[in-house]
Short mmCIF file of all heavy atoms in Angstrom, two decimals:
data_model
loop_
_atom_site.label_atom_id
_atom_site.label_comp_id
_atom_site.label_asym_id
_atom_site.label_seq_id
_atom_site.Cartn_x
_atom_site.Cartn_y
_atom_site.Cartn_z
N LEU Z 34 50.77 -41.41 -4.43
CA LEU Z 34 51.87 -40.53 -4.03
C LEU Z 34 52.84 -41.21 -3.06
O LEU Z 34 54.03 -40.91 -3.05
CB LEU Z 34 51.31 -39.26 -3.37
CG LEU Z 34 50.67 -38.24 -4.32
CD1 LEU Z 34 50.01 -37.12 -3.53
CD2 LEU Z 34 51.73 -37.67 -5.27
N GLU Z 35 52.33 -42.13 -2.24
CA GLU Z 35 53.16 -42.73 -1.20
C GLU Z 35 53.44 -44.21 -1.51
O GLU Z 35 52.84 -44.78 -2.43
CB GLU Z 35 52.44 -42.63 0.16
CG GLU Z 35 52.19 -41.20 0.62
CD GLU Z 35 51.48 -41.15 1.97
OE1 GLU Z 35 51.04 -42.22 2.45
OE2 GLU Z 35 51.37 -40.05 2.54
N SER Z 36 54.32 -44.80 -0.75
CA SER Z 36 54.52 -46.24 -0.88
C SER Z 36 53.28 -46.95 -0.35
O SER Z 36 52.50 -46.37 0.42
CB SER Z 36 55.75 -46.68 -0.07
OG SER Z 36 55.47 -46.61 1.32
N THR Z 37 53.11 -48.19 -0.75
CA THR Z 37 51.93 -48.94 -0.31
C THR Z 37 51.88 -49.03 1.20
O THR Z 37 50.82 -48.84 1.82
CB THR Z 37 51.96 -50.36 -0.93
OG1 THR Z 37 51.99 -50.25 -2.34
CG2 THR Z 37 50.74 -51.16 -0.51
N GLU Z 38 53.01 -49.30 1.85
CA GLU Z 38 53.05 -49.45 3.30
C GLU Z 38 52.67 -48.15 3.99
O GLU Z 38 51.90 -48.14 4.97
CB GLU Z 38 54.45 -49.89 3.75
CG GLU Z 38 54.85 -51.30 3.31
CD GLU Z 38 55.22 -51.36 1.82
OE1 GLU Z 38 55.43 -50.29 1.19
OE2 GLU Z 38 55.27 -52.47 1.29
N GLU Z 39 53.21 -47.02 3.50
CA GLU Z 39 52.90 -45.71 4.11
C GLU Z 39 51.43 -45.39 3.96
O GLU Z 39 50.78 -44.89 4.88
CB GLU Z 39 53.74 -44.62 3.45
CG GLU Z 39 55.22 -44.67 3.80
CD GLU Z 39 56.05 -43.70 2.97
OE1 GLU Z 39 55.64 -43.38 1.83
OE2 GLU Z 39 57.10 -43.27 3.47
N CYS Z 40 50.88 -45.68 2.79
CA CYS Z 40 49.47 -45.39 2.55
C CYS Z 40 48.58 -46.21 3.46
O CYS Z 40 47.68 -45.67 4.12
CB CYS Z 40 49.13 -45.66 1.08
SG CYS Z 40 47.35 -45.53 0.73
N LEU Z 41 48.82 -47.52 3.53
CA LEU Z 41 47.95 -48.40 4.31
C LEU Z 41 48.02 -48.10 5.81
O LEU Z 41 47.06 -48.38 6.53
CB LEU Z 41 48.30 -49.86 4.04
CG LEU Z 41 48.03 -50.35 2.61
CD1 LEU Z 41 48.44 -51.80 2.47
CD2 LEU Z 41 46.56 -50.17 2.24
N ALA Z 42 49.14 -47.55 6.25
CA ALA Z 42 49.25 -47.18 7.66
C ALA Z 42 48.21 -46.13 8.05
O ALA Z 42 47.82 -46.03 9.22
CB ALA Z 42 50.66 -46.67 7.95
N ASN Z 43 47.76 -45.35 7.06
CA ASN Z 43 46.76 -44.32 7.30
C ASN Z 43 45.32 -44.86 7.26
O ASN Z 43 44.38 -44.13 7.57
CB ASN Z 43 46.88 -43.20 6.26
CG ASN Z 43 48.22 -42.49 6.33
OD1 ASN Z 43 48.72 -42.22 7.42
ND2 ASN Z 43 48.80 -42.19 5.17
N TYR Z 44 45.18 -46.12 6.87
CA TYR Z 44 43.84 -46.70 6.72
C TYR Z 44 43.77 -48.06 7.42
O TYR Z 44 43.76 -49.12 6.79
CB TYR Z 44 43.48 -46.86 5.23
CG TYR Z 44 43.46 -45.56 4.48
CD1 TYR Z 44 44.58 -45.13 3.75
CD2 TYR Z 44 42.35 -44.74 4.51
CE1 TYR Z 44 44.57 -43.93 3.06
CE2 TYR Z 44 42.31 -43.53 3.82
CZ TYR Z 44 43.43 -43.14 3.10
OH TYR Z 44 43.41 -41.94 2.42
N PRO Z 45 43.71 -48.05 8.74
CA PRO Z 45 43.70 -49.32 9.50
C PRO Z 45 42.49 -50.20 9.18
O PRO Z 45 42.52 -51.40 9.41
CB PRO Z 45 43.68 -48.86 10.97
CG PRO Z 45 43.19 -47.44 10.92
CD PRO Z 45 43.67 -46.87 9.64
N GLN Z 46 41.42 -49.60 8.60
CA GLN Z 46 40.23 -50.40 8.25
C GLN Z 46 40.57 -51.47 7.20
O GLN Z 46 39.88 -52.48 7.08
CB GLN Z 46 39.12 -49.51 7.68
CG GLN Z 46 38.76 -48.30 8.53
CD GLN Z 46 39.42 -47.04 8.02
OE1 GLN Z 46 40.65 -46.97 7.90
NE2 GLN Z 46 38.60 -46.03 7.73
N LEU Z 47 41.65 -51.24 6.45
CA LEU Z 47 42.01 -52.17 5.38
C LEU Z 47 42.92 -53.31 5.87
O LEU Z 47 43.22 -54.23 5.10
CB LEU Z 47 42.72 -51.42 4.25
CG LEU Z 47 41.83 -50.54 3.37
CD1 LEU Z 47 42.68 -49.66 2.46
CD2 LEU Z 47 40.87 -51.39 2.55
N GLU Z 48 43.32 -53.25 7.13
CA GLU Z 48 44.28 -54.24 7.63
C GLU Z 48 43.81 -55.69 7.45
O GLU Z 48 44.61 -56.57 7.12
CB GLU Z 48 44.59 -53.96 9.11
CG GLU Z 48 45.73 -54.82 9.62
CD GLU Z 48 46.13 -54.44 11.05
OE1 GLU Z 48 45.78 -53.32 11.49
OE2 GLU Z 48 46.79 -55.25 11.70
N PRO Z 49 42.51 -56.01 7.64
CA PRO Z 49 42.08 -57.41 7.46
C PRO Z 49 42.09 -57.86 6.00
O PRO Z 49 41.88 -59.05 5.74
CB PRO Z 49 40.65 -57.42 8.02
CG PRO Z 49 40.50 -56.17 8.80
CD PRO Z 49 41.41 -55.17 8.16
N PHE Z 50 42.31 -56.93 5.08
CA PHE Z 50 42.14 -57.25 3.66
C PHE Z 50 43.42 -57.01 2.85
O PHE Z 50 43.37 -56.73 1.65
CB PHE Z 50 41.00 -56.41 3.06
CG PHE Z 50 39.75 -56.43 3.87
CD1 PHE Z 50 39.40 -55.34 4.68
CD2 PHE Z 50 38.92 -57.54 3.86
CE1 PHE Z 50 38.24 -55.36 5.44
CE2 PHE Z 50 37.75 -57.56 4.62
CZ PHE Z 50 37.41 -56.47 5.41
N ILE Z 51 44.57 -57.15 3.48
CA ILE Z 51 45.83 -56.83 2.83
C ILE Z 51 46.08 -57.76 1.63
O ILE Z 51 45.92 -58.98 1.72
CB ILE Z 51 47.01 -56.93 3.82
CG1 ILE Z 51 46.85 -55.89 4.93
CG2 ILE Z 51 48.35 -56.77 3.11
CD1 ILE Z 51 46.86 -54.46 4.45
N TRP Z 52 46.47 -57.16 0.52
CA TRP Z 52 46.86 -57.90 -0.69
C TRP Z 52 48.31 -58.33 -0.54
O TRP Z 52 49.18 -57.51 -0.26
CB TRP Z 52 46.69 -57.01 -1.91
CG TRP Z 52 47.12 -57.65 -3.21
CD1 TRP Z 52 48.38 -57.71 -3.71
CD2 TRP Z 52 46.28 -58.33 -4.15
NE1 TRP Z 52 48.38 -58.36 -4.92
CE2 TRP Z 52 47.11 -58.77 -5.22
CE3 TRP Z 52 44.92 -58.60 -4.21
CZ2 TRP Z 52 46.60 -59.46 -6.32
CZ3 TRP Z 52 44.41 -59.29 -5.31
CH2 TRP Z 52 45.26 -59.71 -6.35
N SER Z 53 48.58 -59.61 -0.76
CA SER Z 53 49.95 -60.12 -0.61
C SER Z 53 50.35 -60.91 -1.86
O SER Z 53 49.81 -61.99 -2.10
CB SER Z 53 50.07 -61.01 0.63
OG SER Z 53 51.30 -61.70 0.63
N TRP Z 54 51.29 -60.39 -2.62
CA TRP Z 54 51.79 -61.11 -3.79
C TRP Z 54 52.46 -62.42 -3.38
O TRP Z 54 52.33 -63.44 -4.07
CB TRP Z 54 52.78 -60.24 -4.57
CG TRP Z 54 52.13 -59.09 -5.28
CD1 TRP Z 54 52.08 -57.80 -4.86
CD2 TRP Z 54 51.41 -59.15 -6.51
NE1 TRP Z 54 51.38 -57.03 -5.76
CE2 TRP Z 54 50.96 -57.83 -6.79
CE3 TRP Z 54 51.11 -60.16 -7.41
CZ2 TRP Z 54 50.23 -57.52 -7.93
CZ3 TRP Z 54 50.37 -59.85 -8.56
CH2 TRP Z 54 49.95 -58.55 -8.81
N ASP Z 55 53.16 -62.38 -2.27
CA ASP Z 55 53.87 -63.58 -1.81
C ASP Z 55 52.88 -64.69 -1.44
O ASP Z 55 53.09 -65.86 -1.78
CB ASP Z 55 54.75 -63.24 -0.61
CG ASP Z 55 55.65 -64.40 -0.22
OD1 ASP Z 55 56.47 -64.82 -1.06
OD2 ASP Z 55 55.50 -64.91 0.90
N SER Z 56 51.78 -64.34 -0.79
CA SER Z 56 50.78 -65.34 -0.43
C SER Z 56 50.08 -65.90 -1.65
O SER Z 56 49.73 -67.09 -1.69
CB SER Z 56 49.74 -64.73 0.52
OG SER Z 56 50.35 -64.37 1.74
N LEU Z 57 49.88 -65.06 -2.65
CA LEU Z 57 49.26 -65.53 -3.89
C LEU Z 57 50.18 -66.52 -4.61
O LEU Z 57 49.73 -67.54 -5.14
CB LEU Z 57 48.94 -64.36 -4.82
CG LEU Z 57 47.78 -63.47 -4.41
CD1 LEU Z 57 47.72 -62.24 -5.30
CD2 LEU Z 57 46.46 -64.23 -4.48
N GLU Z 58 51.45 -66.18 -4.64
CA GLU Z 58 52.41 -67.03 -5.33
C GLU Z 58 52.68 -68.31 -4.56
O GLU Z 58 52.92 -69.37 -5.16
CB GLU Z 58 53.71 -66.26 -5.56
CG GLU Z 58 54.66 -66.97 -6.49
CD GLU Z 58 55.87 -66.11 -6.84
OE1 GLU Z 58 55.98 -64.99 -6.31
OE2 GLU Z 58 56.70 -66.57 -7.63
N HIS Z 59 52.64 -68.23 -3.23
CA HIS Z 59 52.95 -69.39 -2.38
C HIS Z 59 51.80 -69.62 -1.40
O HIS Z 59 51.95 -69.41 -0.19
CB HIS Z 59 54.26 -69.15 -1.62
CG HIS Z 59 55.41 -68.78 -2.49
ND1 HIS Z 59 56.04 -69.68 -3.33
CD2 HIS Z 59 56.05 -67.59 -2.67
CE1 HIS Z 59 57.01 -69.07 -3.98
NE2 HIS Z 59 57.05 -67.81 -3.60
N PRO Z 60 50.66 -70.07 -1.88
CA PRO Z 60 49.48 -70.20 -1.01
C PRO Z 60 49.66 -71.21 0.11
O PRO Z 60 49.00 -71.10 1.15
CB PRO Z 60 48.37 -70.64 -1.97
CG PRO Z 60 49.08 -71.21 -3.16
CD PRO Z 60 50.36 -70.46 -3.27
N LEU Z 61 50.56 -72.17 -0.05
CA LEU Z 61 50.72 -73.21 0.98
C LEU Z 61 51.32 -72.67 2.26
O LEU Z 61 51.25 -73.33 3.30
CB LEU Z 61 51.59 -74.35 0.46
CG LEU Z 61 51.09 -75.11 -0.78
CD1 LEU Z 61 51.97 -76.30 -1.04
CD2 LEU Z 61 49.65 -75.53 -0.61
N SER Z 62 51.91 -71.48 2.21
CA SER Z 62 52.54 -70.92 3.41
C SER Z 62 51.53 -70.69 4.53
O SER Z 62 51.88 -70.63 5.71
CB SER Z 62 53.24 -69.60 3.07
OG SER Z 62 52.32 -68.65 2.55
N ALA Z 63 50.25 -70.55 4.16
CA ALA Z 63 49.20 -70.31 5.17
C ALA Z 63 48.38 -71.56 5.46
O ALA Z 63 47.38 -71.49 6.17
CB ALA Z 63 48.28 -69.18 4.70
N PHE Z 64 48.81 -72.70 4.92
CA PHE Z 64 48.03 -73.93 5.09
C PHE Z 64 48.23 -74.53 6.49
O PHE Z 64 49.31 -74.42 7.07
CB PHE Z 64 48.45 -74.97 4.05
CG PHE Z 64 47.56 -74.99 2.82
CD1 PHE Z 64 47.17 -73.81 2.23
CD2 PHE Z 64 47.14 -76.18 2.26
CE1 PHE Z 64 46.36 -73.80 1.10
CE2 PHE Z 64 46.34 -76.20 1.14
CZ PHE Z 64 45.95 -75.01 0.57
N PRO Z 65 47.19 -75.20 7.01
CA PRO Z 65 47.35 -75.93 8.27
C PRO Z 65 48.18 -77.19 8.05
O PRO Z 65 48.53 -77.53 6.93
CB PRO Z 65 45.90 -76.28 8.64
CG PRO Z 65 45.18 -76.35 7.32
CD PRO Z 65 45.83 -75.31 6.46
N ASN Z 66 48.45 -77.90 9.11
CA ASN Z 66 49.27 -79.11 9.01
C ASN Z 66 48.61 -80.20 8.18
O ASN Z 66 49.26 -80.95 7.47
CB ASN Z 66 49.60 -79.65 10.41
CG ASN Z 66 50.52 -78.72 11.16
OD1 ASN Z 66 51.32 -78.02 10.54
ND2 ASN Z 66 50.41 -78.72 12.48
N ASP Z 67 47.29 -80.30 8.27
CA ASP Z 67 46.55 -81.30 7.51
C ASP Z 67 46.34 -80.77 6.09
O ASP Z 67 45.46 -79.94 5.85
CB ASP Z 67 45.21 -81.59 8.18
CG ASP Z 67 44.48 -82.77 7.55
OD1 ASP Z 67 44.61 -82.96 6.33
OD2 ASP Z 67 43.77 -83.49 8.27
N PHE Z 68 47.16 -81.24 5.15
CA PHE Z 68 47.14 -80.68 3.80
C PHE Z 68 45.80 -80.91 3.11
O PHE Z 68 45.27 -80.00 2.46
CB PHE Z 68 48.27 -81.27 2.96
CG PHE Z 68 48.28 -80.76 1.54
CD1 PHE Z 68 48.83 -79.52 1.24
CD2 PHE Z 68 47.70 -81.50 0.52
CE1 PHE Z 68 48.80 -79.02 -0.06
CE2 PHE Z 68 47.68 -81.01 -0.79
CZ PHE Z 68 48.23 -79.78 -1.07
N GLU Z 69 45.25 -82.12 3.20
CA GLU Z 69 44.02 -82.42 2.47
C GLU Z 69 42.87 -81.53 2.95
O GLU Z 69 42.09 -81.04 2.14
CB GLU Z 69 43.66 -83.90 2.61
CG GLU Z 69 44.58 -84.81 1.80
CD GLU Z 69 44.00 -86.20 1.60
OE1 GLU Z 69 42.77 -86.34 1.66
OE2 GLU Z 69 44.78 -87.12 1.40
N LYS Z 70 42.76 -81.31 4.25
CA LYS Z 70 41.73 -80.40 4.76
C LYS Z 70 42.02 -78.97 4.32
O LYS Z 70 41.12 -78.21 3.99
CB LYS Z 70 41.65 -80.48 6.28
CG LYS Z 70 40.99 -81.75 6.80
CD LYS Z 70 40.85 -81.71 8.31
CE LYS Z 70 40.17 -82.97 8.83
NZ LYS Z 70 40.06 -82.97 10.31
N GLY Z 71 43.30 -78.63 4.32
CA GLY Z 71 43.69 -77.28 3.92
C GLY Z 71 43.33 -76.98 2.48
O GLY Z 71 42.79 -75.92 2.16
N VAL Z 72 43.61 -77.92 1.58
CA VAL Z 72 43.34 -77.69 0.17
C VAL Z 72 41.83 -77.66 -0.09
O VAL Z 72 41.35 -76.91 -0.95
CB VAL Z 72 44.05 -78.73 -0.73
CG1 VAL Z 72 43.32 -80.06 -0.77
CG2 VAL Z 72 44.24 -78.20 -2.15
N ARG Z 73 41.08 -78.46 0.67
CA ARG Z 73 39.61 -78.43 0.50
C ARG Z 73 39.04 -77.10 0.97
O ARG Z 73 38.13 -76.53 0.33
CB ARG Z 73 38.98 -79.59 1.28
CG ARG Z 73 37.45 -79.70 1.15
CD ARG Z 73 37.01 -79.93 -0.29
NE ARG Z 73 35.55 -79.97 -0.38
CZ ARG Z 73 34.78 -78.91 -0.48
NH1 ARG Z 73 35.33 -77.68 -0.48
NH2 ARG Z 73 33.47 -79.04 -0.59
N SER Z 74 39.58 -76.56 2.06
CA SER Z 74 39.14 -75.25 2.55
C SER Z 74 39.54 -74.14 1.58
O SER Z 74 38.77 -73.20 1.33
CB SER Z 74 39.74 -74.96 3.93
OG SER Z 74 39.29 -75.89 4.88
N PHE Z 75 40.74 -74.27 1.02
CA PHE Z 75 41.21 -73.28 0.06
C PHE Z 75 40.32 -73.29 -1.18
O PHE Z 75 39.97 -72.23 -1.72
CB PHE Z 75 42.66 -73.59 -0.34
CG PHE Z 75 43.27 -72.60 -1.28
CD1 PHE Z 75 43.71 -71.36 -0.83
CD2 PHE Z 75 43.41 -72.89 -2.63
CE1 PHE Z 75 44.27 -70.44 -1.69
CE2 PHE Z 75 43.97 -71.98 -3.51
CZ PHE Z 75 44.40 -70.74 -3.04
N LEU Z 76 39.93 -74.47 -1.64
CA LEU Z 76 39.04 -74.59 -2.79
C LEU Z 76 37.69 -73.95 -2.49
O LEU Z 76 37.11 -73.24 -3.33
CB LEU Z 76 38.88 -76.06 -3.16
CG LEU Z 76 38.05 -76.41 -4.39
CD1 LEU Z 76 38.59 -75.74 -5.64
CD2 LEU Z 76 38.01 -77.93 -4.58
N ALA Z 77 37.17 -74.16 -1.29
CA ALA Z 77 35.90 -73.54 -0.88
C ALA Z 77 36.02 -72.02 -0.88
O ALA Z 77 35.09 -71.31 -1.31
CB ALA Z 77 35.48 -74.04 0.50
N TRP Z 78 37.18 -71.51 -0.43
CA TRP Z 78 37.41 -70.06 -0.43
C TRP Z 78 37.46 -69.52 -1.87
O TRP Z 78 36.87 -68.48 -2.18
CB TRP Z 78 38.70 -69.73 0.31
CG TRP Z 78 39.01 -68.26 0.35
CD1 TRP Z 78 38.50 -67.34 1.21
CD2 TRP Z 78 39.87 -67.55 -0.54
NE1 TRP Z 78 39.00 -66.09 0.92
CE2 TRP Z 78 39.84 -66.19 -0.15
CE3 TRP Z 78 40.66 -67.92 -1.63
CZ2 TRP Z 78 40.57 -65.22 -0.82
CZ3 TRP Z 78 41.41 -66.95 -2.28
CH2 TRP Z 78 41.35 -65.61 -1.88
N GLN Z 79 38.17 -70.23 -2.75
CA GLN Z 79 38.21 -69.83 -4.16
C GLN Z 79 36.80 -69.73 -4.75
O GLN Z 79 36.46 -68.75 -5.43
CB GLN Z 79 39.01 -70.85 -4.98
CG GLN Z 79 40.51 -70.82 -4.79
CD GLN Z 79 41.19 -71.85 -5.69
OE1 GLN Z 79 40.71 -72.96 -5.87
NE2 GLN Z 79 42.32 -71.47 -6.26
N ILE Z 80 36.00 -70.74 -4.49
CA ILE Z 80 34.64 -70.78 -5.02
C ILE Z 80 33.82 -69.62 -4.48
O ILE Z 80 33.10 -68.93 -5.22
CB ILE Z 80 33.98 -72.13 -4.68
CG1 ILE Z 80 34.65 -73.26 -5.46
CG2 ILE Z 80 32.48 -72.11 -4.97
CD1 ILE Z 80 34.28 -74.66 -5.00
#
């Protein structure tokens, strides 16, 4: 019934688990400065 933002505002328990299309499409935006370590950590998370 509501927009995603309005709905999630009512459920703060979900804040650590927010779904982000932008982060999925551009995963490097959250990478640390050391790319090789970042990609290895990302691979571990995928697994």
Side-chain angles (χ1 to χ4, degrees):
L34 286 173
E35 298 180 352
S36 71
T37 302
E38 293 75 15
E39 289 172 332
C40 173
L41 294 179
N43 298 318
Y44 299 96
Q46 309 99 303
L47 286 170
E48 189 174 342
F50 311 103
I51 296 298
W52 177 276
S53 168
W54 289 100
D55 188 61
S56 295
L57 287 172
E58 191 173 2
H59 307 288
L61 300 187
S62 59
F64 264 44
N66 292 331
D67 188 328
F68 178 80
E69 287 197 25
K70 286 185 179 178
V72 79
R73 181 62 182 84
S74 297
F75 183 77
L76 184 58
W78 180 82
Q79 287 182 320
I80 292 168

